[in-house]
Amino acid sequence: MADSTGQEPAELGHTGAVAADPYDRSAWRDLYARSAALRELAAELAARHAHTTDLLADAFLVAYLAAPRVREAAEMAPSRLFNREVVAELAASPGFAALRRETAGDPYAAALAVLAEAPALRLLLDRTEPVREAADARRSAGRPARTAGETARQAGATAGALGAGATSADGAAGPASAPAAPAGQAASRAEAAARQALEAATPGIRAAARTATAQAVRVTREEAALMRAWGVGHGELERMPYEERARLAERLRTGRLARWAELIGRFRQMADGERARKVENATGELIGVTLGDDLSRVLPSELAHLGLPELRAVFAARYAAGELMLYDSRGEQTTGQGAVIACVDTSHSMYEEGPGGITREAWSKACALALLDQARHARRDFVGILFSAADKLQVFRFPADRPAPVERVLEFAETFLGGGTSYQRPLSAAAALLAEEFDTAARGRGDIVLITDDECGVTEQWTREWQEARHRLGFRLFGLAVGAPTATASGSVLEALCDNLRPIEDLTDVRAAADLFRLI
């Protein structure tokens, strides 16, 4: 029933089931404005059910807020009691704590959770239409009582304004308040019916909430794992605008190498473990005594000579000759200082699948991305060189002093040139890059990793130039023959070129290249 302005009286109580300040609600409004998927979902549900946009906002806030509080039923507007029950059951679901580890404070992840919950919520809304109809009946039944009461109050006020002679003390109010009693009884009956309907629907709401939460946990964890597999950190994601993050997620899910995200993740985890095993700037395990001039490993008996003036000259002479007695040790130390360069073969044969359905290209790109992590961890430049035939080459540079743009990393991972195989051009390009680094920054001892599945010839002239560059720059060449045992045979070109060469036969085994990440 409309009031004198033509509008329905305002409903008492909160329309939002989750207590949130204006700033937190603005996060929802901003995300809603940016997300076409959320707007489409809200429009679809609103066309069939009332108050569903408020329900989506509550589902977002309960996942997003650091310490969400679901309001008590007594605080709620009657028409939103169903929403409140759904949100309360979501918050009480067994998997809700796991969900919030992914979504708390992250509006994008919270929105993703809402979209993941949509199928279960949609089914629940379809099945519980009578419950909301009962709530609407309760609201409608309550209006006449409130309207009658308001009329009585207005009549009393009018009587007071006209004076005591206009009407008796109860004459104005008596007739107007007469309809309030039957209206109040109808409201009570409607309230009882709505409460009973909601209680009957509670087990179904609880089951749907658990299903929705489990689905949201699965989806948010999968996306988080996908981002981690591609080296996109949580901090970087939080700084990323919503639209850019949505496009990135879609690209990672549907890109050419999307189905190898798990392999990429395993490679990166393996590389992290190998880095932890590295012994950097340490002596390692003591295994005996040797001779040399490393003062950090001199035996105490040698140092004692410095306490006697007459033996100091002997100590100096032995130091100059490198004949001091030192502790001998065994350990793995990093030796590279220059750039890490991954030369990845993208010829036609690299597209072939190996064991487990993994292509040679996928294994190679996963290894190269782990090398990118390795270089950044050591604050070294990284260069990815994709090659095939002599006329096909693409270079991707990732300087150590600048962030590695995700878009550029994905472009490197997804580019496939096709064609034949030539070693000379990519290795010459790698040597030229190391020479440029050596001449401009005085950094030497770079590392080149050649990943290929083929064997091809090189000219004598090129070989002489290659050896000269290696001698001047002091770089190392590691070779990974992916699914090509003949390339590692005695007398092969790869064997002659590489300082360290290994065959990769099982493409499901990321540990086949594990020691590479301790040496580089």
Side-chain angles (χ1 to χ4, degrees):
M1 182 175 181
D3 61 17
S4 59
T5 65
Q7 297 179 342
E8 292 187 350
E11 189 178 11
L12 298 178
H14 291 283
T15 57
V18 180
D21 60 34
Y23 177 81
D24 292 324
R25 291 201 175 274
S26 70
W28 160 252
R29 289 192 296 270
D30 179 66
L31 199 69
Y32 184 83
R34 293 172 178 271
S35 172
L38 281 177
R39 295 195 302 275
E40 290 169 4
L41 174 62
E44 175 204 339
L45 295 180
R48 297 155 56 191
H49 310 290
H51 318 308
T52 49
T53 302
D54 288 338
L55 176 59
L56 295 180
D58 286 331
F60 169 84
L61 289 169
V62 79
Y64 170 69
L65 294 181
R69 181 181 75 84
V70 179
R71 288 190 169 100
E72 297 297 329
E75 303 177 66
M76 297 300 300
S79 62
R80 306 306 199 278
L81 282 172
F82 177 82
N83 289 3
R84 187 262 172 199
E85 191 69 19
V86 172
V87 175
E89 292 296 343
L90 285 173
S93 297
F96 187 70
L99 174 64
R100 284 183 40 74
R101 282 194 287 272
E102 304 292 344
T103 61
D106 187 341
Y108 175 89
L112 184 65
V114 173
L115 294 172
E117 292 164 351
L121 295 178
R122 188 183 293 113
L123 184 60
L124 174 64
L125 290 168
D126 289 340
R127 289 178 174 176
T128 55
E129 187 67 35
V131 179
R132 291 185 308 285
E133 288 177 351
D136 289 340
R138 172 190 179 180
R139 181 185 180 194
S140 300
R143 284 187 195 130
R146 290 195 301 272
T147 305
E150 182 63 27
T151 301
R153 285 191 294 274
Q154 290 176 355
T158 302
L162 293 175
T167 184
S168 64
D170 58 353
S177 62
Q185 293 172 2
S188 297
R189 288 194 298 270
E191 181 177 356
R195 188 185 304 113
Q196 185 178 6
L198 188 58
E199 289 175 357
T202 297
I205 295 174
R206 183 175 299 121
R210 291 185 177 189
T211 300
T213 301
Q215 179 71 359
V217 169
R218 184 185 65 81
V219 171
T220 54
R221 279 181 173 173
E222 284 180 355
E223 179 150 319
L226 184 65
M227 294 294 182
R228 285 193 297 269
W230 285 95
V232 185
H234 186 70
E236 185 177 359
L237 289 175
E238 287 188 335
R239 294 189 299 271
M240 197 176 292
Y242 176 84
E243 296 88 344
E244 182 181 344
R245 186 167 171 180
R247 286 194 301 270
L248 173 62
E250 181 65 17
R251 183 174 181 182
L252 293 183
R253 283 193 295 266
T254 60
R256 203 167 59 81
L257 291 180
R259 60 189 181 125
W260 309 127
E262 190 270 339
L263 174 69
I264 294 169
R266 286 196 291 123
F267 243 110
R268 283 184 147 139
Q269 289 176 0
M270 178 272 293
D272 284 343
E274 294 305 313
R275 273 196 296 273
R277 293 180 58 190
K278 289 176 69 172
V279 182
E280 299 186 41
N281 301 319
T283 57
E285 177 188 359
L286 297 178
I287 58 174
V289 176
T290 186
L291 300 179
D293 59 1
D294 186 350
L295 296 178
S296 66
R297 295 189 289 141
V298 174
L299 266 63
S301 58
E302 289 278 30
L303 292 174
H305 294 165
L306 294 175
L308 300 174
E310 60 271 21
L311 294 179
R312 288 174 186 170
V314 175
F315 181 93
R318 294 180 64 181
Y319 172 69
E323 294 180 351
L324 293 174
M325 288 192 294
L326 313 175
Y327 287 117
D328 196 8
S329 62
R330 178 170 55 203
E332 293 171 333
Q333 292 183 316
T334 181
T335 57
Q337 293 180 342
V340 176
I341 302 179
C343 298
V344 182
D345 187 350
T346 60
S347 60
H348 284 312
S349 57
M350 292 290 285
Y351 203 67
E352 295 178 8
E353 291 187 356
I358 299 174
T359 65
R360 298 172 180 179
E361 179 207 9
W363 192 97
S364 302
K365 295 286 181 62
C367 182
L369 291 174
L371 287 170
L372 168 60
D373 289 348
Q374 188 83 352
R376 301 196 73 78
H377 182 269
R379 297 180 177 84
R380 300 168 67 183
D381 291 352
F382 176 82
V383 181
I385 299 179
L386 304 180
F387 71 94
S388 56
D391 60 340
K392 293 184 178 182
L393 187 85
Q394 197 160 345
V395 178
F396 297 81
R397 303 185 73 162
F398 299 93
D401 59 352
R402 279 177 274 171
V406 177
E407 292 291 325
R408 189 65 171 164
V409 173
L410 290 178
E411 185 182 357
F412 167 64
E414 293 182 333
T415 300
F416 188 81
L417 302 176
T421 305
S422 170
Y423 292 164
Q424 291 187 186
R425 189 173 178 203
L427 291 179
S428 293
L433 289 168
L434 293 176
E436 175 187 342
E437 183 181 43
F438 181 80
D439 294 337
T440 58
R443 286 199 300 267
R445 304 208 312 271
D447 291 309
I448 303 172
V449 182
L450 177 62
I451 311 175
T452 182
D453 71 337
D454 207 352
E455 174 76 352
C456 67
V458 294
T459 66
E460 292 184 8
Q461 176 63 27
W462 180 88
T463 303
R464 284 194 296 271
E465 294 173 354
W466 171 257
Q467 295 298 343
E468 290 172 1
R470 175 184 290 189
H471 178 74
R472 183 171 79 92
L473 303 173
F475 60 77
R476 299 177 295 179
L477 176 61
F478 297 87
L480 299 174
V482 184
T486 57
T488 60
S490 178
S492 68
V493 172
L494 271 181
E495 185 191 42
L497 290 176
C498 296
D499 300 289
N500 187 306
L501 175 64
R502 72 211 62 199
I504 307 297
E505 298 177 2
D506 183 1
L507 301 186
T508 64
D509 181 15
V510 299
R511 298 205 61 80
D515 62 323
L516 188 67
F517 295 90
R518 296 196 302 271
L519 298 173
I520 290 181

